[in-house]
Amino acid sequence: MKEPARILVVGGGYVGMYTALRLQQKLKRGEADIIVVEPQPYMTYQPFLPEAAAGAISPRHVVVPLRRVLSKCQVIVGEAKRINHAKRVATISTLASTEDGSGDIDIPYDALVLAPGSISRTLPIPGLAEYGIGFKTVEEAIGLRNHVLEQMDIASSTRDADVRAAALTFVFVGGGYAGVEALGELEDMARYASRYYHNISPEDMRWVLVEASDRILPEVGEEMGKYTVRELRRRNIDVRLETRLDSCEDRMVVLSDGERFRSRTIVWTAGVKAHPMLGETDLPLNGRGRLKSTATLQIDGVEAAWAAGDAAAVPDLTHPGQECAPNAQHAVRQAKVLADNVAAHLRGEPQQEYRHSYAGSVASLGLHKGVAFIYGRKIKGWPAWFMHRTYHLSRVPTFNRKARVLAEWTLAGLFKREIVSLGSLEHPRAEFEQAAGSLQPPKS
């Protein structure tokens, strides 16, 4: 009897999870064993991170548990350290191998799907590593929410005018989806929360968006991008185009236009880059560290290996000479084609090319505010915001998550916002350590 093929999926994000999900649906029992390796036991639906940061959605509803969705797959919570595709072996570090000292484990495979995703693309800006806050994970989103509310608490209780001004100054670097949506949602939340502070008004807060290019949200078109700038400025948000962050040492923000001011909140959303683990493989990379892929999503010149999403440079057949943008819309669509091609490879059938038709883009700018560019139509305000929610509700995996998110949105419309900061969640043992430390006998 023929042994089932071993399919190794590295990464449990959009591409990894959707590929494994489709494979477990398409392949017959005994046809293949699917192994998914991912550092976290869940997939994060990143378009919901701004709403999670604003408190509109519970953090646990922004993530999808891999073991529940991929019930026919073997899920390993670990990180791929090296891949030797010539020998068809991946070296994996797991929680157990770290804890018991047994070392990394080698996993042999017959077919490989590489989808480790991306990490934040940072620059060697003085002070950024010490004071910058990312916005790519659910942990960062909730940490940022707690941080913003804590800054309002600091500003409310301090007598130092400089500390108050720095606490109420919030800087977002990067005018793409992540930066604009995070700023819009958090400014909305802070504006609402200010009514519960006796000495803070919305006018006391300063929100700054720094973008190096001459436009924001390029995906929604130039006209909608300009509308977004006008909308943000109407809300007294300081939008700085063609401006760079030069330094933030000692919480002193220095911009390329010469302005200097103190801020205790510097959020970095200026792009992503391919996961560095790709450099630990024997697979071909392009100049930006992404895997060279063909239109069938196979790694160029390599047998039985596929890649898609942020980790892959996939040619855009609808725009010859260009590559598909590393966004969620492409990742979800590519995963379907990738899974079908892996199944076709196992069965000796021809593979299909990835070709997409651009539907458009939507972005939220806060509660009841948004912009959209759908099938050539420009939409703004409440209709765009509603379209944003409807689209992403339809795309979030599993009926369970759809129902929970919809229920939370409904309740949020009936009751007041939550304005509680749970910063202690980031250091849950702090109080116990303090109590236990107070019982230690004095040193002689």
Side-chain angles (χ1 to χ4, degrees):
M1 183 177 178
K2 183 181 178 181
E3 287 289 321
R6 288 169 66 89
I7 303 172
L8 177 64
V9 180
V10 176
Y14 291 110
V15 174
M17 193 204 75
Y18 279 110
T19 297
L21 178 62
R22 188 167 178 85
L23 282 171
Q24 77 174 11
Q25 294 169 344
K26 287 183 67 70
L27 297 177
K28 299 176 183 178
R29 178 175 295 185
E31 192 172 2
D33 294 330
I34 306 168
I35 303 170
V36 180
V37 177
E38 163 62 35
Q40 303 293 343
Y42 53 78
M43 185 273 266
T44 302
Y45 192 74
Q46 291 185 346
F48 281 159
L49 289 183
E51 293 203 54
I57 300 177
S58 172
R60 66 182 183 278
H61 298 156
V62 178
V63 299
V64 180
L66 293 177
R67 286 193 172 89
R68 175 177 293 176
V69 176
L70 305 177
S71 57
K72 298 180 182 178
C73 302
Q74 179 186 354
V75 177
I76 298 177
V77 177
E79 185 176 358
K81 294 295 186 181
R82 294 176 301 279
I83 294 178
N84 188 333
H85 189 67
K87 295 182 178 180
R88 301 291 200 274
V89 173
T91 302
I92 309 297
S93 172
T94 68
L95 295 176
S97 62
T98 302
E99 187 69 24
D100 60 22
S102 59
D104 299 340
I105 61 175
D106 288 338
I107 298 180
Y109 60 85
D110 300 301
L112 173 68
V113 176
L114 261 180
S118 59
I119 63 172
S120 295
R121 176 173 57 84
T122 58
L123 298 174
I125 297 173
L128 183 61
E130 292 80 9
Y131 302 111
I133 302 172
F135 196 77
K136 199 168 183 341
T137 67
V138 66
E139 292 85 359
E140 288 175 329
I142 303 310
L144 180 57
R145 169 187 169 81
N146 292 333
H147 176 83
V148 169
L149 291 172
E150 284 173 358
Q151 298 313 303
M152 296 180 71
D153 288 334
I154 291 172
S156 177
S157 56
T158 185
R159 295 182 179 180
D160 188 314
D162 291 337
V163 171
R164 175 184 168 90
L168 294 180
T169 300
F170 307 95
V171 180
F172 287 70
V173 184
Y177 277 119
V180 172
E181 291 192 336
L183 184 152
E185 292 285 353
L186 284 164
E187 189 274 340
D188 227 16
M189 178 202 73
R191 179 182 293 270
Y192 176 86
S194 67
R195 69 181 65 181
Y196 296 100
Y197 290 83
H198 70 283
N199 58 351
I200 297 179
S201 68
E203 291 72 26
D204 296 328
M205 293 182 283
R206 183 183 183 188
W207 297 81
V208 184
L209 176 63
V210 179
E211 168 56 41
S213 70
D214 62 351
R215 58 192 294 194
I216 65 174
L217 294 179
E219 297 87 350
V220 299
E222 184 175 359
E223 183 179 334
M224 288 292 95
K226 290 180 178 178
Y227 163 80
T228 303
V229 171
R230 292 195 302 270
E231 170 65 18
L232 294 178
R233 286 174 174 167
R234 187 186 64 80
R235 291 160 60 178
N236 291 324
I237 295 172
D238 186 359
V239 180
R240 301 292 184 96
L241 301 178
E242 299 183 277
T243 306
R244 300 181 310 278
L245 174 67
D246 284 346
S247 173
C248 55
E249 281 188 299
D250 298 324
R251 302 188 188 276
M252 174 63 73
V253 174
V254 180
L255 302 180
S256 61
D257 60 7
E259 184 163 3
R260 301 164 60 94
F261 54 87
R262 291 200 175 276
S263 172
R264 296 176 57 86
T265 307
I266 297 125
V267 184
W268 182 265
T269 64
V272 297
K273 64 180 180 180
H275 200 288
M277 70 81 51
L278 298 178
E280 302 300 321
T281 72
D282 56 352
L283 300 169
L285 305 178
N286 68 5
R288 291 180 294 167
R290 300 170 72 191
L291 292 160
K292 296 180 180 179
S293 298
T294 65
T296 61
L297 305 178
Q298 277 191 283
I299 299 176
D300 194 17
V302 180
E303 181 70 17
W306 293 261
D310 293 351
V314 180
D316 188 345
L317 298 184
T318 62
H319 297 88
Q322 298 184 25
E323 297 174 356
C324 295
N327 58 34
Q329 188 176 136
H330 277 301
V332 173
R333 295 179 178 185
Q334 288 171 356
K336 178 181 177 181
V337 176
L338 194 158
D340 290 347
N341 284 346
V342 172
H345 170 79
L346 297 179
R347 297 166 180 170
E349 299 172 355
Q351 301 194 20
Q352 59 179 308
E353 295 181 331
Y354 173 70
R355 187 185 299 270
H356 74 97
S357 57
Y358 179 70
S361 300
V362 291
S364 170
L365 305 178
L367 189 63
H368 300 158
K369 296 176 279 289
V371 291
F373 185 72
I374 307 294
Y375 294 114
R377 296 188 61 188
K378 305 176 185 67
I379 306 169
K380 56 189 179 182
W382 189 92
W385 170 83
F386 180 78
M387 187 172 294
H388 175 272
R389 283 199 162 185
T390 303
Y391 173 79
H392 286 300
L393 184 66
S394 70
R395 290 295 181 266
V396 69
T398 77
F399 176 79
N400 179 301
R401 283 295 176 271
K402 294 180 196 294
R404 290 178 182 273
V405 169
L406 182 59
E408 287 196 308
W409 281 343
T410 302
L411 291 173
L414 298 174
F415 300 100
K416 296 179 179 180
R417 281 179 182 257
E418 292 288 348
I419 59 167
V420 176
S421 166
L422 296 176
S424 58
L425 289 176
E426 298 164 36
H427 307 284
R429 297 189 66 247
E431 185 174 344
F432 179 80
E433 288 174 348
Q434 183 180 6
S438 65
L439 299 177
Q440 297 297 323
K443 294 182 179 180
S444 57

